[in-house]
Amino acid sequence: MLKDRVKALFEEPGCAHNTAKSEAARKAGCSKPLTPGAAAGGCAFDGAKIALQPVTDAAHLVHGPLACEGNSWDNRGSASSGSDLWRRSFTTDLTELDIVAGHSEKKLYRAIREIAQRFEPAAIFVYATCVTALIGDDIDAVCRHAAERYGLPVVPVHGAGFVGSKNFGNKLAGQALLDHVIGTVEPDDVGPTDLVILGEFNLAGEFWQVKPLLDRLGIRVRACVPGDARYADIAAAHTARATLVVCSTALVGLARRMRERWGIPYIEGSFYGVLDTSETLRQIARLLVARGAPADLVTRTEALVTAEETRAAARLAPYRTRLAGKRVLLNTGGVKSWSVVSALMEIGMEVVGTATKKSTPEDKQRIAILMRDDPHMFESMAPRDLYRMLADGEADIMLSGGRTQFIALKAKTPWLDINQERIHPYAGYDGMIELVRQIDLALHNPVWAQVRTPAPWDADGRLIEEVASLPATGAPSPLPVTDLSSPLPTGERSRAQHAGEGKPTSAIADPHHPAPSAPTSPRQGEATESVAGVAPESLLAEMASPQPDDSFAARHRKKFAATRVDASDPDYLARHRKKFAASGADDMGEC
């Protein structure tokens, strides 16, 4: 039953932290299922779909209402070098009538039949959802019958959203692979350097930055789960000689069960940063040699690492002087909570904080080792606190996912996407260079100097204009004399004309809408003198004299003057916070 399966998955002796517990505490697991409706950061169905959808030659059928597929489709930036069938959206689209009349299982079978006949996929993954789990649909029986009838694997995935969080859905997906996929195909080309990589999603093509390095060493990736994966490769993963776990939070349980069932040892590593990439390659080589690979693999790996580090150091040198000492706030989780920290510290950046949401105890221990006595770890931070930290200048840039980008933009702070929505690959040696380049571009973008400049208007919304003048001298003016009675040249209009008010006027003909003033300070070689024989003092006096302002903006300000609220008033903010304190509302909003 689903309840027993969930209980078994929460017992994870694969990590040292859990192994050190008592037997009763170990069975409780490292995390708890979330209550229904409180699946923060995604539900279990979302996590299961994320972990399996990048299997490119399989069809992914969501058995539930249309909204479940709409919210989960293509929610990762995974890339594929093969079939694009996985990009298609398949759902049974259950309605109230299907549920009340008991037609949901029949509709599932018909959907499997149509996919098998029209698209001929290598396999079909069928995902249970909250609705179908609550009404008790037996998707195992439907999948088993359809597989026998149409001659292709049909894999049930029990990842109903109410079971737990997105991370727990990753574990449920790994269990589905272990129960129905891995070990079902026996390849005839087993080699001593076969490797399985778990937890690599090939975001923005990151796996393609790493695979050429392994190819140069003669290491064959038997299966990469799930990034750019093929169903047959995953089915033959039990013949590999070693397993590399990249995202331990997601699929470390699958690695442990593969070790127990087929005796395949596993290691944990990271391909973010130069040093971590080199160390991971060394660990892979040593483990494969211990499992029967050629002894010279370690020597060849060391030569490759030396050459790549030298090349990367030369390409990173110009950025070190530009980024050294810059402060970065890392608001992500999982493996990136420590692996990206290491990468940033390599180029001399200071990490002022890193989030540890969805990170394992081992991840937190690595952060403490990397950052020594002052790790700056936080489980999560409220939007208000993030905004205050950035607005006060405690960080020069924030690296996070798309959900918190607007906090940085509101604080006028550079921001870079580091999560699954990113479009640039950051893994491997070339990925590290790309990460540093993108940080440099974000930090030195001239837009930040512009948005931090004070607004050119006063508290009443009037534009602040200044006219610079020089003492009158006998020298002729370097500026051409302008006839104020002539109309403005083509393309030059007053501010009122830009706003659609009035007709074209000369520069001084309408005193209510003066033409744009000169810059606040003259450029080198320029001066501001009298125009058309009018002394600068008289011109300034005329502009400073009070004139009736009947423009649309002035009438608008006068009309609503009594109702305007100054949100920067401390008393107003205090009343606002007090008013909504009981409801838990955030006056900063979700940003």
Side-chain angles (χ1 to χ4, degrees), residues 163-467:
V163 174
S165 64
K166 180 170 64 176
N167 175 254
F168 188 68
N170 299 151
K171 301 178 186 296
L172 291 170
Q175 187 65 37
L177 293 178
L178 189 72
D179 293 341
H180 303 283
V181 182
I182 300 176
T184 58
V185 172
E186 293 294 337
D188 56 2
D189 58 346
V190 178
T193 60
D194 288 355
L195 177 71
V196 171
I197 300 178
L198 300 180
E200 170 55 63
F201 295 90
N202 197 33
L203 301 178
E206 284 188 339
F207 176 62
W208 300 334
Q209 304 272 61
V210 176
K211 190 174 184 299
L213 300 173
L214 301 174
D215 292 340
R216 289 165 60 182
L217 295 173
I219 299 175
R220 179 173 57 183
V221 179
R222 169 61 70 181
C224 178
V225 182
D228 198 22
R230 310 295 188 272
Y231 180 84
D233 294 337
I234 299 177
H238 65 292
T239 61
R241 307 297 292 173
T243 301
L244 170 66
V245 182
V246 176
C247 186
S248 58
T249 309
L251 295 175
V252 66
L254 176 59
R256 177 181 62 83
R257 289 177 175 84
M258 291 177 64
R259 183 185 62 186
E260 295 173 353
R261 185 173 300 185
W262 294 289
I264 306 174
Y266 71 90
I267 57 174
E268 296 185 37
S270 168
F271 290 111
Y272 290 110
V274 173
L275 298 181
D276 283 340
T277 299
S278 299
E279 183 58 29
T280 300
L281 291 175
R282 292 188 180 103
Q283 290 186 55
I284 293 173
R286 289 194 293 265
L287 182 59
L288 288 175
V289 168
R291 295 279 292 164
D296 66 336
L297 179 59
V298 175
T299 305
R300 289 187 287 111
T301 301
E302 198 62 40
L304 173 67
V305 165
T306 302
E308 290 296 325
E309 287 184 348
T310 302
R311 185 176 66 90
R315 298 177 64 185
L316 289 173
Y319 296 104
R320 293 184 185 277
T321 55
R322 294 169 58 87
L323 299 179
K326 296 292 185 181
R327 298 162 300 171
V328 57
L329 175 63
L330 191 61
N331 189 24
T332 179
V335 66
K336 293 188 292 295
S337 62
W338 64 269
S339 58
V340 177
V341 167
S342 176
L344 297 176
M345 294 178 68
E346 289 178 21
I347 58 173
M349 298 190 73
E350 178 186 353
V351 180
V352 298
T354 178
T356 58
K357 190 175 183 179
K358 298 183 293 185
S359 299
T360 64
E362 287 74 20
D363 293 335
K364 298 178 182 178
Q365 185 178 5
R366 293 186 182 101
I367 296 173
I369 294 174
L370 287 170
M371 304 179 69
R372 296 180 176 87
D373 298 331
D374 198 10
H376 298 291
M377 290 184 291
F378 59 91
E379 182 68 22
S380 62
M381 189 178 293
R384 181 193 294 111
D385 298 328
L386 278 176
Y387 175 80
R388 179 201 55 78
M389 187 175 184
L390 297 175
D392 292 347
E394 297 181 25
D396 298 310
I397 186 173
M398 182 170 76
L399 275 59
S400 69
R403 282 183 293 182
T404 55
Q405 64 172 309
F406 300 104
I407 300 177
L409 299 179
K410 188 173 183 179
K412 302 175 184 178
T413 302
W415 170 82
L416 183 66
D417 192 354
I418 197 67
N419 278 7
Q420 64 266 17
E421 299 91 354
R422 63 182 181 268
I423 60 175
H424 300 286
Y426 298 146
Y429 299 105
D430 292 336
M432 174 61 181
I433 296 167
E434 181 63 26
L435 172 62
V436 173
R437 189 177 78 88
Q438 292 299 323
I439 293 176
D440 181 71
L441 288 174
L443 276 171
H444 297 96
N445 192 321
V447 71
W448 302 116
Q450 298 178 23
V451 299
R452 292 167 182 166
T453 303
W457 53 75
D458 58 19
D460 295 329
R462 300 177 182 274
L463 289 175
I464 302 173
E465 297 185 355
E466 297 181 5
V467 178

Side-chain angles (χ1 to χ4, degrees), residues 1-20:
M1 294 180 62
L2 181 60
K3 181 178 179 181
D4 298 331
R5 185 180 291 108
V6 170
K7 182 178 179 181
L9 287 175
F10 269 112
E11 181 182 357
E12 181 50 68
C15 65
H17 174 77
N18 218 353
T19 305

